[in-house]
Structure formats: C-alpha cells, structure tokens
Amino acid sequence: MSANNIAHHLVTPIETVAKSKPLDLCTDEELFSRFCKGEADLFDALVRRYERELFGYLRRYLGDGTLAEDVFQNTFLQLYVKSGQYEHGRPVRPWLYTIATHQAIDAMRRQNRHQAVSLGQRREDAEDGDTNLLADALECRGPDPHDHVSDLERQDVIRGCVEELPDFLRQVLILAYYQGLKYREIADILGIPVGTVKSRLHAALVRLQQAGDVFASYAEA
C-alpha cells in the first residue's frame, strides 16, 4: 500500500470519536463535516433536524405554506450545492438561515409579493430584553369575552404594523423573536454588526409598542 493510500485511510482521534457518537448527539458541524467527507446519508439527518424549525421560520416569514415548502427545498438544495465551500468547524445554523433568508427574499421578488407575518407563539429560547416588548403587546389581559375580542383586534393592529415594517427591521424581528436566534447568529446571517442587530430590533419593537399604544388609546376613547 502506498503512502498516499495509507494517508487516505488514516483518521484522527477526533474523527473516530465523532463517527462513534449517535447522530442525535452529533453537532450540526459534525454531521455536515462527515457528509462533506462522503457519508451521504447524513445530509438527510441534517434535513430532518431542521425540518420543523426552518420550515416554521419560512412559513412565518413568507405567510404561505406552499411557498415556504418550495423555499425550504431550495434552501437545502443550495446547502448541498455549496457543501464544497464548507470550512470545517464553521457554524452550520447561521449559514443555513442565511441561505434560507436569501431564498425567501428571491422567492418573494419573483412573485412580487410582501410577506404576511404570523403572530403565533414565539420560541421559548428567544433572547430576553427588547423582545419582551412584543410579548407585552400581544398578551391577553383576562378571561372576559370583551377582552378577548379586544386582544384579537390588538393583534390585528400589531400584525399590520409588522407587515408594514421595512424589510431590514422585519427580518431581525422574526429571527430574534420567533426563531430565538442569538444576536451574534442574526449578525452572521444578515452580515451586519451585532450592534446593528440590537438597534434594528429595538427600532422595530418600539414601532410595534407604539402601534399597541395607539390601539389602546382608541379602544379607551
């Protein structure tokens, strides 16, 4: 056996440990690195891992389940195509969201449409802080039927305000509040500084809070 063949069959201790781990205990980076090295079936494992999370993001961002399904498929197609560019150890999640966001924007441009944001339940692991403003704006006040109707009307006002936000503010809001991504991850996805993420999120949430306050003033008049 030649030296080249020997080198080809040698694996590092780290690689040996990674391959011996159950797939559900492997990090995204371990799965994708092993896929890039020839374990083709691990790509499906990565798709399944992100199926609910990423599809939920796209459906919320696009406001259309059918379009979200198409964009989801295109996202992983692009990930597959770009796998040769992957640098070992690079965080996969922000890269995946970057691809998904770009694919979603392209899809909306092709259809000349504006996304209709859902105000469904936020992810439990969303960062604290400014995102609590949106939670406060959407929270129900009590069991009284009139309060319930008022809450629904309030959500309609907030939803309309979200849809009217500029794209650069709406993107940050959805990624932070609904997807629970950290500021650093959002910064990597959108290619902007962490400070810009924070300022955009704050600006978006202040607008929503103002919309809620306007509704409250109108309802009390």
Side-chain angles (χ1 to χ4, degrees), residues 59 125 192 206:
R59 184 174 57 185
D125 53 348
I192 57 178
V206 165

Side-chain angles (χ1 to χ4, degrees), residues 27-30 32-33 37 86-93:
T27 66
D28 297 341
E29 293 71 34
E30 288 170 343
F32 200 62
S33 291
K37 293 175 182 178
Y86 180 67
E87 300 174 1
H88 179 70
R90 176 183 180 181
V92 171
R93 192 183 191 212

Side-chain angles (χ1 to χ4, degrees), residues 10 14 74-75 97 125 180 220:
L10 288 177
I14 293 177
N74 288 337
T75 296
Y97 269 91
D125 53 348
E220 293 169 1

Side-chain angles (χ1 to χ4, degrees), residues 139-180:
E139 68 179 356
C140 294
R141 292 186 178 82
D144 188 284
H146 296 291
D147 286 341
H148 178 66
V149 172
S150 178
D151 288 331
L152 293 178
E153 292 174 345
R154 183 186 182 89
Q155 289 189 20
D156 285 340
V157 171
I158 299 297
R159 181 182 294 106
C161 186
V162 171
E163 293 178 3
E164 291 301 318
L165 288 173
D167 286 344
F168 69 95
L169 295 182
R170 188 169 51 251
Q171 288 173 349
V172 172
L173 179 70
I174 294 174
L175 290 169
Y177 182 83
Y178 293 107
Q179 298 310 115

